[in-house]
Amino acid sequence: MKRLTAFLLCILMLLSLCACTEEEPEPTEPAETYAPVSFENHGRTVTVGRAPRKAVTAGPHCTEIFCALGLADLVVGKCMSNHSQGALEELADDYYTIPDLAVGYPDYEDIISSGCDFLLATDWIFGEDLTIKSLEKAGITVFVLSTDSIGSLCADLRTVAKIFEVSGRAEEIIALQAPVISQIIEKLPEQEPLRVLVLDSFVGEKVYVTGSYGYENELISAAGGVNIFAGLEKKWDAVTPEEIMEARPDFIIIHDYEGSSADEKHAALNEHALLGQLPCVWEGRVLHLPLENSFPGVRCAMTVELLAAEFFPEMFE
């Protein structure tokens, strides 16, 4: 059933692709000919009346989206490089020309001082001191990339591209992703999905894991697995080692990012009195995954491909 679910995800993604194939004409006078773009995002209806001129990206996956859309020259600053293990090779030249506005989470002054009129951001950055409303009052259009599915990622890519009048480029990106995922699903072995633990970090005596975070769970499902803690109420939460032992994972994914080394967490896993007894640990069925691969962005298909190759090496040599 999980494999069927993953296949249906891909069908929805492909149908979404077919629903929008007409490229928008390149404007000759953007300020005068721009067609206003309205969209629903993060509980708001937003209308953009002119093409943004300066953008800020809060999240490495957000920065890679701009680079892939050919919009790197409009990005005046990127944030949260501490969540990245490095840009994709094909995007690196553009990615590293963009200055770091904030290595970690940006604050209100960081974004305002940049002079930007558009922000593409993960929803984690917002709180009491930095709000969407305060940025909108300052004249900044905010697009929150908080998708929980592959299908909604495609919709978000199309909306961002439409705002910047590069819809054709978004279709090219999506067209490259969908067939790869479809081919992987078709090649998966006929068996029950692998039971997967996504280990983010150790928190005292507990383990911080991916819970109901739909996007990463869909990547795992499309690769032939199922997150053993997908039923948790929170997207990420702490569980006990005993709960992990009871869930009996077949495979472990360890998030890798600055300040939370996958190598160190893997060593702690091996040395753990209880978790070290898991067959998947002492048999080496563990993958170190760059954290940005779990975020919605242009790494979608490559991440599904990577997971499938690790889950079923005999099928994806």
Side-chain angles (χ1 to χ4, degrees):
M1 290 300 295
K2 292 295 181 181
R3 181 180 172 188
L4 176 58
T5 300
F7 183 71
L8 290 175
L9 295 176
C10 195
I11 293 298
L12 289 174
M13 183 177 174
L14 289 169
L15 288 175
S16 177
L17 172 62
C18 295
C20 181
T21 58
E22 184 177 342
E23 294 186 14
E24 305 227 349
E26 290 294 326
T28 54
E29 297 290 341
E32 297 179 7
T33 64
Y34 186 83
V37 178
S38 295
F39 57 91
E40 300 289 330
N41 180 253
H42 210 63
R44 309 160 296 141
T45 299
V46 181
T47 298
V48 180
R50 64 180 179 86
R53 293 173 173 79
K54 295 181 180 180
V56 164
T57 55
H61 56 307
C62 297
T63 308
E64 288 189 340
I65 285 173
F66 263 81
C67 292
L69 289 173
L71 300 170
D73 58 333
L74 296 182
V75 183
V76 295
K78 65 181 187 290
C79 310
M80 299 166 64
S81 293
N82 61 336
H83 282 62
S84 174
Q85 292 295 306
L88 290 174
E89 184 177 354
E90 62 269 27
L91 302 177
D93 288 346
D94 287 335
Y95 188 97
Y96 292 115
T97 62
I98 301 171
D100 280 311
L101 189 64
V103 174
Y105 289 7
D107 58 29
Y108 177 80
E109 291 301 325
D110 288 329
I111 296 173
I112 295 298
S113 65
S114 73
C116 74
D117 56 0
F118 186 90
L119 171 69
L120 180 64
T122 178
D123 57 3
W124 307 340
I125 70 168
F126 300 107
E128 293 182 5
D129 299 325
L130 176 62
T131 66
I132 295 172
K133 184 177 291 187
S134 65
L135 294 175
E136 288 180 329
K137 284 184 178 179
I140 298 172
T141 298
V142 179
F143 192 101
V144 183
L145 196 65
S146 56
T147 175
D148 253 2
S149 71
I150 295 173
S152 58
L153 167 63
C154 294
D156 283 352
L157 286 174
R158 287 191 172 107
T159 300
V160 173
K162 189 174 183 179
I163 291 169
F164 288 89
E165 303 180 294
V166 290
S167 292
R169 184 58 188 139
E171 298 307 324
E172 292 173 6
I173 294 170
I174 295 169
L176 290 173
Q177 305 278 324
V180 174
I181 297 175
S182 180
Q183 290 166 14
I184 290 169
I185 291 173
E186 285 296 312
K187 197 174 179 181
L188 290 175
E190 292 289 345
Q191 65 176 62
E192 287 296 310
L194 290 185
R195 300 174 58 79
V196 180
L197 166 69
V198 186
L199 190 161
D200 183 82
S201 55
F202 287 93
V203 183
E205 296 298 318
K206 292 190 174 183
V207 183
Y208 201 60
V209 301
T210 295
S212 59
Y213 175 38
Y215 180 75
E216 186 169 23
N217 291 342
E218 281 202 4
L219 298 179
I220 293 169
S221 179
V226 59
N227 177 8
I228 58 174
F229 289 113
L232 292 177
E233 183 177 347
K234 295 181 179 180
K235 292 184 178 181
W236 299 274
D237 206 354
V239 300
T240 65
E242 288 77 15
E243 288 175 295
I244 293 174
M245 296 297 290
E246 184 177 352
R248 298 175 291 103
D250 300 309
F251 198 95
I252 297 176
I253 296 171
I254 302 179
H255 286 161
D256 193 15
Y257 52 101
E258 185 178 314
S260 190
S261 163
D263 288 335
E264 293 177 2
K265 288 179 285 193
H266 196 163
L269 193 62
N270 287 331
E271 296 168 4
H272 196 281
L274 195 58
L275 299 178
Q277 300 176 31
L278 286 168
C280 60
V281 173
W282 46 264
E283 290 176 3
R285 286 181 271 122
V286 179
L287 169 66
H288 297 185
L289 185 72
L291 183 62
E292 60 263 47
N293 281 56
S294 69
F295 299 158
V298 297
R299 300 184 181 216
C300 178
M302 68 169 286
T303 302
V304 173
E305 192 170 29
L306 172 62
L307 294 177
E310 292 290 332
F311 292 168
F312 307 105
E314 68 283 359
M315 302 290 294
F316 299 92
E317 292 183 356

